[in-house]
Amino acid sequence: MQQRKLEVCITPALLHLYDISQSIVVVIDIFRATTSICYGIENGAEAIIPVATVEICESHRTSEGYLLAAERDGEVVIGFDFGNSPFSYSKDKVDGKTIVLTTTNGTYAIHQSLAAQKIVMGSFLNLTALADWLQTQNQHVLLLCSGWKEKMNLEDTLFAGAVVHNIKEFGYKLDDASIASEDLYILAKNDLSGYLKKTSHSERLKKLGIEADIEFCLNVNLTTAIPVLEGERLVKMKAFELKV
Amino acid sequence: MQQRKLEVCITPALLHLYDISQSIVVVIDIFRATTSICYGIENGAEAIIPVATVEICESHRTSEGYLLAAERDGEVVIGFDFGNSPFSYSKDKVDGKTIVLTTTNGTYAIHQSLAAQKIVMGSFLNLTALADWLQTQNQHVLLLCSGWKEKMNLEDTLFAGAVVHNIKEFGYKLDDASIASEDLYILAKNDLSGYLKKTSHSERLKKLGIEADIEFCLNVNLTTAIPVLEGERLVKMKAFELKV
């Protein structure tokens, strides 16, 4: 194929500008949806089903054994088992379970990407595993930042930059957003937490009392599972798919 | 008023996410529309009328003494006096003249901004004059990057970062895009030309044979005029408006 493209779409509001039909789309929602999905799948969740609305999530209440997770504006929606705190996706809570999940930004981004050749989840937790896999694939890569209500946010952009930094040497053509993201990541990588403290978004999250979540979401390479969308279910990528 | 906001909208495709009714919008199209507009207004052009389409530009052909400028995809449209090369906006060419201008990205961004409290043009040419004026205004500021066909580009983002760098100390609340833009500018500012050489956009412009234009567009503080939209005409901001 032609030289692989490595693009960063800094918010889902720009996704219509990209042809993703031949691309692997990496959905990124560092605080906290894709971090929690990576952690949950690593911890043995059978599947995580991303749904667009709280109502659809609610409609699964009768499905036996399903856990229902709903977050809006950073908080667990009343009446649901949990939201998108990674601490809710530990082994004791999710092993063997199927979780139905809706979030403000992350699950929205997943649904916007359905035309992609393949959709996987990225977070600092699975950075190296994801990068190692991507570079073995003979495919264009689009890193899709979920952002905050369609505006860019720094944490998702930094992670996109981390992926660029890890795979660009394997022969990709970068767009301007990839170049910018990588340069920001290089600036921030020795102190991600410190760098992100200066953002307004960080203040907003602090008000929600989720500083522990935020610190957890910046752990690099805690996991190796790559959640991949199969039909409507996010599942662990199987060993044979991990090979070239 | 409340603390002033200082926001960066990295492409016009995201402008609908911002309430600009109480903001000064700075339109940025470094390569080359707003650079040429700043240069033309500095050089005595009576007005520059940004229009949306080549057809509207053409319809002014009967207006006596008007210069018609039309650019699409980086090239002068056949049959027009000139496009958006800054060298076409020198004193001998534009002094006392009215120019009707349509470009791929810059004039589009201007038309998207009409709901703003005020619309001005920014470029490296008038950086300090613009920054000095903005910080005296008791208004929110939105820096609107024209981008390339609605995607982000580095040169517009860098200039947005330059403005942030020059005025943020005067008490603004920055969004994540402002923080990112400033950090990229700080990285690049000692060698703007070298930094931009690594972009794909730069390759595209090189193919057009406009390297001299590009170098010119990176001149910092060559001019002091601030082009401001009055009705449908971009004119030089008057001295009394420059005061607090």
Side-chain angles (χ1 to χ4, degrees), chain A residues 7 10-11 13-14 16-18 149-155 173-177 179-184 187 195 198-203, chain B residues 7 10-11 13-14 16-18 149-155 173-177 179-184 187 195 198-203:
Chain A
E7 299 173 306
I10 56 163
T11 114
L14 298 178
H16 65 283
L17 301 172
Y18 299 83
K149 298 193 174 176
E150 305 206 281
K151 290 183 183 173
M152 81 161 277
N153 72 34
L154 270 176
E155 65 273 18
K173 182 166 172 51
L174 276 58
D175 66 353
D176 278 15
I179 294 165
S181 302
E182 189 200 8
D183 280 344
L184 290 169
L187 265 181
Y195 186 81
K198 65 180 175 172
T199 73
S200 54
H201 192 59
S202 158
E203 276 173 39
Chain B
E7 298 172 307
I10 56 161
T11 115
L14 298 177
H16 65 282
L17 301 171
Y18 300 84
K149 298 193 174 177
E150 306 207 279
K151 291 182 182 171
M152 82 160 278
N153 71 35
L154 270 176
E155 65 273 17
K173 181 165 172 52
L174 274 58
D175 66 354
D176 278 14
I179 294 165
S181 301
E182 189 199 9
D183 280 344
L184 290 169
L187 265 182
Y195 186 80
K198 65 180 175 173
T199 73
S200 54
H201 191 60
S202 159
E203 275 172 40

Side-chain angles (χ1 to χ4, degrees), chain B residues 49 72 81 139 170 232 240-241:
Chain B
I49 304 174
R72 281 296 178 274
D81 300 334
Q139 296 287 342
F170 297 103
E232 61 174 12
F240 73 85
E241 292 179 282

Side-chain angles (χ1 to χ4, degrees), chain B:
Chain B
M1 74 186 292
Q2 66 198 88
Q3 191 182 20
R4 292 179 291 182
K5 289 184 288 189
L6 177 51
E7 298 172 307
V8 172
C9 179
I10 56 161
T11 115
L14 298 177
L15 192 60
H16 65 282
L17 301 171
Y18 300 84
D19 172 14
I20 57 172
S21 63
Q22 302 303 314
S23 298
I24 298 167
V25 169
V26 179
V27 177
I28 301 165
D29 184 2
I30 297 302
F31 300 153
R32 301 163 284 172
T34 60
T35 300
S36 293
I37 292 168
C38 289
Y39 195 50
I41 293 293
E42 179 83 9
N43 286 329
E46 189 174 301
I48 296 176
I49 304 174
V51 298
T53 67
V54 173
E55 290 69 31
I56 299 174
C57 195
E58 178 63 38
S59 73
H60 283 82
R61 196 169 286 282
T62 52
S63 310
E64 200 170 342
Y66 278 22
L67 293 172
L68 305 187
E71 170 266 353
R72 281 296 178 274
D73 295 335
E75 304 195 73
V76 179
V77 179
I78 292 168
F80 285 82
D81 300 334
F82 43 85
N84 63 358
S85 166
F87 298 115
S88 300
Y89 294 74
S90 56
K91 196 165 187 66
D92 60 308
K93 295 194 178 74
V94 303
D95 194 20
K97 298 276 175 53
T98 293
I99 301 149
V100 184
L101 171 67
T102 184
T103 74
T104 312
N105 304 297
T107 56
Y108 174 78
I110 294 169
H111 287 106
Q112 296 301 305
S113 309
L114 295 179
Q117 200 268 338
K118 195 181 281 272
I119 302 173
V120 297
M121 303 295 111
S123 70
F124 285 107
L125 269 62
N126 71 346
L127 171 59
T128 295
L130 176 69
D132 287 352
W133 173 74
L134 284 172
Q135 56 96 350
T136 65
Q137 302 300 301
N138 194 24
Q139 296 287 342
H140 304 302
V141 173
L142 184 125
L143 305 168
L144 174 58
C145 301
S146 298
W148 180 253
K149 298 193 174 177
E150 306 207 279
K151 291 182 182 171
M152 82 160 278
N153 71 35
L154 270 176
E155 65 273 17
D156 293 350
T157 305
L158 284 185
F159 177 74
V163 176
V164 174
H165 194 60
N166 275 266
I167 69 174
K168 72 169 189 178
E169 69 183 290
F170 297 103
Y172 289 90
K173 181 165 172 52
L174 274 58
D175 66 354
D176 278 14
S178 294
I179 294 165
S181 301
E182 189 199 9
D183 280 344
L184 290 169
Y185 171 69
I186 291 169
L187 265 182
K189 70 188 170 78
N190 292 328
D191 183 13
L192 289 171
S193 177
Y195 186 80
L196 290 170
K197 280 204 173 69
K198 65 180 175 173
T199 73
S200 54
H201 191 60
S202 159
E203 275 172 40
R204 190 182 56 73
L205 293 167
K206 200 181 287 175
K207 281 184 197 145
L208 294 168
I210 55 174
E211 291 100 323
D213 282 23
I214 299 310
E215 285 304 314
F216 184 86
C217 292
L218 300 178
N219 274 306
V220 180
N221 294 334
L222 198 66
T223 66
T224 59
I226 302 173
V228 57
L229 194 68
E230 285 189 358
E232 61 174 12
R233 297 153 58 89
L234 289 162
V235 297
K236 185 173 177 175
M237 190 179 288
K238 293 169 190 69
F240 73 85
E241 292 179 282
L242 287 166
K243 294 184 184 146
V244 183

